[in-house]
Amino acid sequence: MAAMKPRTGDGPMEVTREGRSLIMRVPIDGGGRLVLEINKEEAESLKQCLIEAVGE
């Protein structure tokens, strides 16, 4: 049986490494957080998209 993890609740934006994956937790309007599991390639792609959007 899989281990039950508590709900993430509200909190700051954060990224943690779990095994080969990165777990990104992003606060959302209305409470709670969006939790994404991404790999290194996806993280690099997201980084590029954010740099272009911010203009840095």
Side-chain angles (χ1 to χ4, degrees):
M1 178 180 235
M4 294 295 289
K5 293 185 177 182
R7 291 181 176 253
T8 59
D10 294 330
M13 184 181 308
E14 64 181 1
V15 177
T16 57
R17 181 178 302 271
E18 292 185 14
R20 294 184 184 177
S21 298
L22 298 169
I23 306 300
M24 183 168 67
R25 295 174 178 89
V26 181
I28 56 174
D29 290 340
R33 293 192 286 179
L34 173 67
V35 180
L36 301 170
E37 180 177 9
I38 58 177
N39 61 34
K40 184 178 179 182
E41 292 78 25
E42 292 166 332
E44 287 293 334
S45 179
L46 176 60
K47 176 182 169 183
Q48 282 304 115
C49 290
L50 290 171
I51 287 172
E52 291 173 15
V54 174
E56 302 254 337

